[in-house]
Amino acid sequence: MMITFIRRLFLTTLSCRHMIKKKSLFYTPVPSPPLLRPQRSCHQDLRELFKYGVIQNYLDNLSKEYKHVSQKLNDHLLSEHHRRALQNQYAKLSPIAVLLQDIQNAEIEAEELETMSKNFDSGAEKQLLNLFVEEKEEVSRKIEVFQRKLLQILIPKEKHDEKDVILEVTSGRTTGGDICQQFTKEIFEMYQNYADYKCWNFTILNYTSAEYGGLHHASARISGNSVYRHLKYEGGTHRVQRIPEIGLSSRMQRIHTGTMTVIVLPELEEVDIQLDPKDLRVDTFRAKGAGGQHVNTTDSAVRIVHLPTGMSVECQQERSQLQNKETALRILRAKLYQQTMERGLEQRQTARKIQVGTRAQSDRIRTYNYVQDRVTDHRISHISRDVMEMLCGGSVLDHLITKLLESADREVFLEIAAGSYEESKGS
């Protein structure tokens, strides 16, 4: 309150000596080229993205549409059907218009502060500069909050964002040593820890151990709040660069490179993917691995083969054959959906691929460099400096996932705005 009072007091004084030019964020022309798609480096910052011409053109059209609908609703000659349609449209546009106005007012306030800070001409005024700097930072934070809220309204939610997921990890190849299996185990445990961090349920469906404590393959069901939304960009190839702990390479300090793959599938219901029993071959066999007297005594493990595609899944984690079959069917439905989704992604090139890749499982998405203690996400060029902290699956991984989601949202927003501009240009 004190800072705001001082700012207003000096604004009154300074405006008598200097003309303060107030301009709107949404109605100000943008320097050429205003309607081209920005390069990746141009829109890492949210405020910079909102200043770009194609975005401003889109927001300007939304403001005009809101005013047009508001005026039409004042027409007393409207039919009941038309009025109801306009009221629905008005209800959708109202929160957008409010946020646009909030951003515009905050931008004007920021410009006033900037103008004032440049017009200090006495020692007494300069002593208040720090106060103006603090308020400018506060206004900037307020603008960013408004912009994030606007993105949440304008970006459509993906169909399966609220779904639970099937997570699979598989060991890859290595240039030497035996690091892939150990790395696969570490990544699987990282997601297990992350599920605990997010208060999700983590149920292991399949677990095939490797020698020396590593892991060949494992799958798990993760259930909770918006699991697929948070994990959908984790699918792909994860690469590790490290010096083995034992052997000749350890003594020679030779760096080995290995990979493993992560597959993240939304868990679907029968209504999402229909499976014809005629297309399935169900095999039963005895479970392997740890399990006490139950193992190798009953045919509780289940393998299901989808005959049209040749896709095969198996589950042996439960003691009941029926439960294993139900789990295997859930995994099969998820995999068939993933196959369909990837075919669709191959057919349409979108701007989102710039940031988050095609989400195909062959994409190399992240490198864990133990030697330099660095984790690099190649899609958004994000670097974290603590490998072990990342593998703990806590706040560091959550921060990276948040960055990925923000980048994807910005790409979608840019795509929507560009599509709207092309549509208006063609009409």
Side-chain angles (χ1 to χ4, degrees), residues 74-91:
N74 293 326
D75 187 354
H76 300 290
L77 300 178
L78 285 175
S79 66
E80 186 63 29
H81 175 74
H82 194 190
R83 181 175 298 278
R84 193 180 304 113
L86 285 174
Q87 286 174 340
N88 290 336
Q89 192 176 3
Y90 181 83

Side-chain angles (χ1 to χ4, degrees), residues 90-246:
Y90 181 83
K92 293 179 181 178
L93 291 172
S94 290
I96 298 173
V98 170
L99 283 170
L100 289 177
Q101 189 62 51
D102 288 339
I103 294 173
Q104 181 177 342
N105 293 339
E107 286 285 347
I108 293 174
E109 188 177 0
E111 186 173 345
E112 290 176 352
L113 287 167
E114 182 66 28
T115 303
M116 292 168 62
S117 65
K118 292 179 180 178
N119 287 281
F120 290 114
D121 53 15
S122 70
E125 290 176 353
K126 289 180 180 180
Q127 292 177 3
L128 299 174
L129 182 59
N130 288 338
L131 297 178
F132 282 99
V133 171
E134 289 179 15
E135 188 163 0
K136 282 168 61 178
E137 292 175 351
E138 182 181 341
V139 171
S140 295
R141 287 192 294 270
K142 185 165 62 174
I143 292 173
E144 188 168 342
V145 169
F146 290 146
Q147 289 173 340
R148 290 183 188 280
K149 289 181 179 179
L150 187 59
L151 279 184
Q152 291 176 1
I153 295 175
L154 293 176
I155 296 176
K157 298 293 186 294
E158 288 199 22
K159 181 179 178 181
H160 299 299
D161 272 357
E162 301 301 317
K163 296 281 189 182
D164 300 333
V165 307
I166 303 295
L167 173 78
E168 290 192 0
V169 298
T170 305
S171 174
R173 297 178 179 178
T174 177
T175 57
D178 189 21
I179 63 172
C180 284
Q181 291 81 9
Q182 182 60 37
F183 180 53
T184 303
K185 180 181 179 182
E186 291 170 344
I187 293 297
F188 189 67
E189 291 175 349
M190 177 182 76
Y191 290 121
Q192 190 170 12
N193 293 335
Y194 185 62
D196 184 62
Y197 175 81
K198 300 292 286 186
C199 298
W200 296 335
N201 296 317
F202 190 95
T203 305
I204 296 176
L205 303 177
N206 201 356
Y207 195 95
T208 305
S209 300
E211 297 179 0
Y212 310 112
L215 179 62
H216 279 302
H217 174 268
S219 62
R221 178 178 183 266
I222 308 177
S223 58
N225 184 32
S226 303
V227 180
Y228 185 68
R229 168 169 169 74
H230 287 85
L231 296 182
K232 60 187 174 183
Y233 298 127
E234 292 299 292
T237 300
H238 295 238
R239 184 176 67 170
V240 61
Q241 294 175 320
R242 73 197 310 177
I243 299 172
E245 297 178 359
I246 59 174

Side-chain angles (χ1 to χ4, degrees), residues 26 35-36 124 132 140 152 203 210 216 223 245 250 262 329 332 336 339 344-345 347 378 384 396 408 417-418:
F26 303 109
L35 294 171
L36 297 178
F132 282 99
S140 295
Q152 291 176 1
T203 305
H216 279 302
S223 58
E245 297 178 359
S250 175
V262 174
L329 284 172
L332 180 59
L336 288 172
Q339 189 180 71
L345 285 173
Q347 294 172 359
H378 304 289
S384 302
V396 176

Side-chain angles (χ1 to χ4, degrees), residues 186-379:
E186 291 170 344
I187 293 297
F188 189 67
E189 291 175 349
M190 177 182 76
Y191 290 121
Q192 190 170 12
N193 293 335
Y194 185 62
D196 184 62
Y197 175 81
K198 300 292 286 186
C199 298
W200 296 335
N201 296 317
F202 190 95
T203 305
I204 296 176
L205 303 177
N206 201 356
Y207 195 95
T208 305
S209 300
E211 297 179 0
Y212 310 112
L215 179 62
H216 279 302
H217 174 268
S219 62
R221 178 178 183 266
I222 308 177
S223 58
N225 184 32
S226 303
V227 180
Y228 185 68
R229 168 169 169 74
H230 287 85
L231 296 182
K232 60 187 174 183
Y233 298 127
E234 292 299 292
T237 300
H238 295 238
R239 184 176 67 170
V240 61
Q241 294 175 320
R242 73 197 310 177
I243 299 172
E245 297 178 359
I246 59 174
L248 180 61
S249 295
S250 175
R251 293 193 295 271
M252 297 180 63
Q253 294 293 291
R254 184 182 298 165
I255 300 174
H256 287 197
T257 299
T259 61
M260 59 82 62
T261 57
V262 174
I263 298 177
V264 178
L265 308 170
E267 187 178 32
L268 304 179
E269 304 298 332
E270 291 186 28
V271 294
D272 297 310
I273 294 290
Q274 294 288 340
L275 292 176
D276 190 339
K278 297 179 182 179
D279 293 335
L280 304 178
R281 189 184 77 230
V282 181
D283 302 324
T284 59
F285 57 96
R286 293 187 177 182
K288 302 175 182 179
Q293 295 179 353
H294 168 68
V295 175
N296 294 323
T297 59
T298 60
D299 292 339
S300 61
V302 174
R303 181 187 299 109
I304 300 179
V305 180
H306 186 245
L307 298 176
T309 62
M311 187 176 294
S312 174
V313 297
E314 64 180 53
C315 182
Q316 60 178 10
Q317 202 66 24
E318 303 294 338
R319 297 176 63 89
S320 165
Q321 185 184 109
L322 182 60
Q323 288 178 322
N324 283 330
K325 182 180 178 180
E326 291 176 352
T327 300
L329 284 172
R330 285 202 300 266
I331 297 173
L332 180 59
R333 279 193 291 266
K335 284 193 170 186
L336 288 172
Y337 170 78
Q338 180 75 6
Q339 189 180 71
T340 303
M341 187 179 70
E342 287 190 354
R343 277 202 301 266
L345 285 173
E346 290 174 0
Q347 294 172 359
R348 60 180 190 274
Q349 300 293 321
T350 65
R352 196 184 318 179
K353 292 181 183 178
I354 298 173
Q355 290 283 13
V356 298
T358 62
R359 212 188 304 171
Q361 306 306 328
S362 59
D363 286 349
R364 187 192 70 181
I365 64 169
R366 197 172 297 153
T367 295
Y368 303 73
N369 190 315
Y370 279 76
V371 180
Q372 299 178 2
D373 198 23
R374 182 185 69 215
V375 179
T376 304
D377 194 289
H378 304 289
R379 298 162 294 182

